[in-house]
Amino acid sequence: MTGIPRSSARCAAPRRRLRRGVLLPAALMLVTSCSTGSDSGKAGADGAGDPLFPRLGNGGYDVQHYGLTLDYEPEGNRLHATAVITARATQDLDAFNLDLKGMKVRDARVDGKPAGTARKGTELTVTPGTALDKGREFQTVVVYEGVPKEITDADGESLEGWVETDSGAAALGEPTGSMAWFPGNHHPSDKAAYDIEVTVPKGYTAVANGELKRKEVRGDRATFSWHNPEPMASYLASVVVNEFEVTTTKAGDLPVYIATHPEEPAAGPRMAKLLPRAIDWASGLFGPYPFSSAGAVVDHNEYVDYALETQTKPYFDEAPTDAIVVHEVAHQWFGNSVTPRTWRDMWLSESFAQYAEWMWEEKEGGRPVQRIFDDFYSGKDPESSGIWAFPPGDPTPETIFDPPVYGRGAMLLHELRRGVGDGVFFAIVRKWVADHRHGNGDTAEFVALCEERAGRSLKPLFDKWLWGEGRP
Ligand code: TRP
Ligand code: ZN
């Protein structure tokens, strides 16, 4: 979505609530690790070490592929599902954790053999019959069902997880919501390929990431099989169910799939024109589009007030402005292909998406980027409200979506561009995208690349714009 959520109320008076245990004391976390049933110390960790969300993700394995088979009943909002998780052990493992919030686990198997399960909060501990050796590839099958949960973000108000809508549902995963609908390693550092198959009542369309390989109607149920071959962080995985209208087109050779809610009738044709244009423009600036398909979901969702850059098909809670479309398209390079290594590196995702909006505005005959920068600096641009609240390099769980991460981050990129010149700046951007394609990148790596290409220290610039308190 664009720099600030459309409901300006959210930004004007950010509420501060308790953090729902995201910052548990280390001692408590240890208790959970010990409760995995390991007495030989070979249990995988119950977190991936994120500085903002320490319990998110898990240690001891690396997922290659998720095969998710979902059966969804909009009436009653019930999900029956099977997750097949192919992973490699990165240490000897006699037990490992998956993240899963709510849902009832019916069965778990590792390499076809029954495995033990235990649950504590959002940690699902799986104990295979036989311990796994380091380096071993193994397959975990979890059968689960229930009414998937809606999750309130650390900001105390934004909704994610499995959001039931008026005539369907939308699975939105940033930053922690994907654990509401499938068990997995829900940290952005463990990316994997996905195949998502969703069965819904006939008349509904179920949209997920990647390309539609098959649609099959049997009796009164329809099954949609989606194939997403490129690595994806789990927060970008998505399933959206509704009585959508579907428009398909091409952007160059790329298949484009657009699902629009009947209450947003103009969105289909509009997106079919805008998406190829935005993708083509962004490819010229950032390098080739990173995925094998593209598209969008334009929903009509009154419970959510943001767009999300869900991989290959960004999600829009309603018909978006061009700027928001460009923002989500830019995320396919920044955030999706090059994913922040931890949630503290969030600015590497949002500042580029916001800066893309500024460049698009200039290209379309609006304000030049320098004018937008000046309007942010002076406070004239309404989107600049709140951008000095904290340094963009140091958000908290409550503030990862706040204006400094977006607006002040984009200002940093502009200052970098002014400092090194257009040639070096765009060379840096393309190298960043190429070097970390389908992987992760962090702040230290980005700074190092900038300094290498600039041929000098850029410490004053980053100290001022990324780490400094208040308006520089
Ligand atoms: N990352 C999304 C984007 O910029 C925005 C987003 C996701 C968001 N979840 C949010 C914004 C919660 C505000 C609150 O496209
Ligand atoms: Zn964004």
Side-chain angles (χ1 to χ4, degrees), residues 222-303:
T223 299
F224 296 80
S225 305
W226 294 92
H227 177 59
N228 183 86
E230 297 93 9
M232 174 164 77
S234 78
Y235 77 89
L236 299 166
S238 177
V239 165
V240 190
V241 176
N242 219 306
E243 291 161 288
F244 288 124
E245 275 145 29
V246 174
T247 309
T248 57
T249 183
K250 290 228 153 181
D253 289 336
L254 274 181
V256 177
Y257 183 105
I258 300 157
T260 50
H261 193 283
E263 291 199 50
E264 305 287 359
R270 223 193 93 220
M271 295 297 264
K273 278 205 191 131
L274 180 54
L275 278 175
R277 217 154 66 78
I279 289 170
D280 185 56
W281 170 78
S283 306
L285 286 175
F286 310 141
Y289 179 80
F291 307 119
S292 49
S293 65
V297 178
V298 182
D299 206 349
H300 189 78
N301 181 345
E302 281 152 35
Y303 309 95

Side-chain angles (χ1 to χ4, degrees), residues 1 309 327-328 331 350 353 406:
M1 86 155 254
E309 63 267 25
H327 181 109
E328 307 308 338
H331 269 309
E350 296 302 348
Y406 290 71

Side-chain angles (χ1 to χ4, degrees), residues 326-368:
V326 166
H327 181 109
E328 307 308 338
V329 165
H331 269 309
Q332 304 305 313
W333 284 260
F334 306 99
N336 299 12
S337 179
V338 184
T339 304
R341 198 176 306 286
T342 75
W343 287 110
R344 186 186 277 160
D345 302 306
M346 177 73 155
W347 75 275
L348 284 168
S349 175
E350 296 302 348
S351 65
F352 277 105
Q354 174 106 27
Y355 196 58
E357 287 184 50
W358 294 4
M359 290 191 288
W360 178 271
E361 181 176 334
E362 176 177 287
K363 171 191 99 82
E364 293 289 285
R367 291 171 299 171

Side-chain angles (χ1 to χ4, degrees), residues 304-315:
V304 159
D305 222 352
Y306 59 83
L308 187 61
E309 63 267 25
T310 42
Q311 194 151 310
T312 69
K313 284 183 212 71
Y315 175 84

